[in-house]
Amino acid sequence: MSNKTVIIAPSILSADFSNLSSALNICEKGGAEYIHVDVMDNHFVPNLTIGPLVVKSLRPHTNRFLDVHLMVTNPENLVEPFARAGADGITFHIEAAENPDDVIDLIRVTGKQVGISLKPKTPVSAIEPFFDKVDMILVMSVEPGFGGQGYLPGSTERIAEIRQRLLEQCLQDSVLIEVDGGIKLDNAKEVANAGADILVAGSAVFGADDPVAAIQQFINKITN
Ligand code: DX5
Ligand code: ZN
């Protein structure tokens, strides 16, 4: 597991919202391949953040993968707007979808990557029926809603459990595992070793004195 490529996905949730194009520059300079965009609706989660118009404005400023994480009820309503705005991948929450198959199909027809996410208390069995229909599983390692929370320790076992189930179903090469919440330099390696392919980091990047250096340090941690 230690030699595989792990991607760092800075979350712009912790960036300066008055200067998001600079946040994109930081991500690119640091060498991040993905840029994580947290969409919150003040309903599925208490917070309220970014809509499709913002993603549309960001799109011309970067060619990195715009990784849109929908923390919203009725995700089906937002798939097309975010796809048109220029998202590269769209992830929805299993807890928010009345009919997950329909949401998956909606994302699929846009040609974007399909992600499914689960909150820390949702059993892995809830998403297992969709393993072979998605490109990515986003494991929440904090309760969704806010940046800057602490990594929930049971998350590492959940990542390993999902990795194991993907292996058993021969899906290890077709489905990526992304982990989101409380990722810091000191736990990044543990999370990667448990089976994560993509690590989201918000406050650990944009709260650092030198965010470019922080991204580079993450990349060094997970590739050495
Ligand atoms: C939380 C968001 C995360 C958040 C991570 O609901 O989904 O992406 O930005 O922030 P940190 O890395 O600070 O936990
Ligand atoms: Zn997120």
Side-chain angles (χ1 to χ4, degrees), residues 9-64:
S11 166
I12 58 171
L13 182 65
S14 293
D16 175 0
F17 272 34
S18 73
N19 201 356
L20 286 176
S21 64
S22 145
L24 301 182
N25 281 337
I26 287 168
C27 294
E28 296 203 2
K29 270 194 198 157
E33 291 175 50
Y34 277 39
I35 293 165
H36 188 81
V37 181
D38 285 308
V39 176
M40 306 188 188
D41 68 347
N42 181 231
H43 191 256
F44 181 69
V45 290
N47 209 347
L48 180 66
T49 59
I50 292 170
L53 279 173
V54 175
V55 169
K56 190 178 174 196
S57 297
L58 295 177
R59 183 70 280 178
H61 294 274
T62 185
N63 57 14
R64 297 299 196 273

Side-chain angles (χ1 to χ4, degrees), residues 36 38 69 71 138 140 180 200:
H36 188 81
D38 285 308
H69 176 193
M71 287 164 274
L138 192 170
M140 287 305 305
D180 184 6
V200 176

Side-chain angles (χ1 to χ4, degrees), residues 4-183:
K4 70 173 181 158
T5 311
V6 179
I7 292 169
I8 179 81
S11 166
I12 58 171
L13 182 65
S14 293
D16 175 0
F17 272 34
S18 73
N19 201 356
L20 286 176
S21 64
S22 145
L24 301 182
N25 281 337
I26 287 168
C27 294
E28 296 203 2
K29 270 194 198 157
E33 291 175 50
Y34 277 39
I35 293 165
H36 188 81
V37 181
D38 285 308
V39 176
M40 306 188 188
D41 68 347
N42 181 231
H43 191 256
F44 181 69
V45 290
N47 209 347
L48 180 66
T49 59
I50 292 170
L53 279 173
V54 175
V55 169
K56 190 178 174 196
S57 297
L58 295 177
R59 183 70 280 178
H61 294 274
T62 185
N63 57 14
R64 297 299 196 273
F65 189 100
L66 287 179
D67 175 31
V68 170
H69 176 193
L70 297 180
M71 287 164 274
V72 304
T73 46
N74 304 120
E76 60 280 0
N77 294 343
L78 288 173
V79 167
E80 204 183 326
F82 275 103
R84 279 178 188 272
D88 293 298
I90 299 177
T91 297
F92 70 98
H93 269 265
I94 186 72
E95 303 87 357
E98 270 179 39
N99 191 338
D101 277 310
D102 286 353
V103 184
I104 289 168
D105 289 348
L106 271 174
I107 302 172
R108 197 57 82 196
V109 296
T110 67
K112 310 300 181 180
Q113 300 271 296
V114 180
I116 193 166
S117 183
L118 76 174
K119 300 203 279 184
K121 292 186 189 127
T122 302
V124 169
S125 57
I127 57 164
E128 197 161 6
F130 311 101
F131 276 5
D132 62 348
K133 299 173 183 166
V134 300
D135 302 298
M136 187 180 83
I137 296 165
L138 192 170
V139 181
M140 287 305 305
S141 41
V142 298
E143 286 297 333
F146 299 93
Q149 304 180 71
Y151 181 81
L152 292 169
S155 310
T156 303
E157 286 71 41
R158 282 160 67 76
I159 297 158
E161 180 185 353
I162 293 169
R163 172 59 58 204
Q164 181 59 30
R165 293 195 192 188
L166 289 175
L167 272 170
E168 286 163 7
Q169 296 177 37
C170 299
L171 292 169
Q172 71 274 15
D173 294 328
S174 50
V175 183
L176 297 173
I177 299 177
E178 180 173 50
V179 182
D180 184 6
I183 304 292

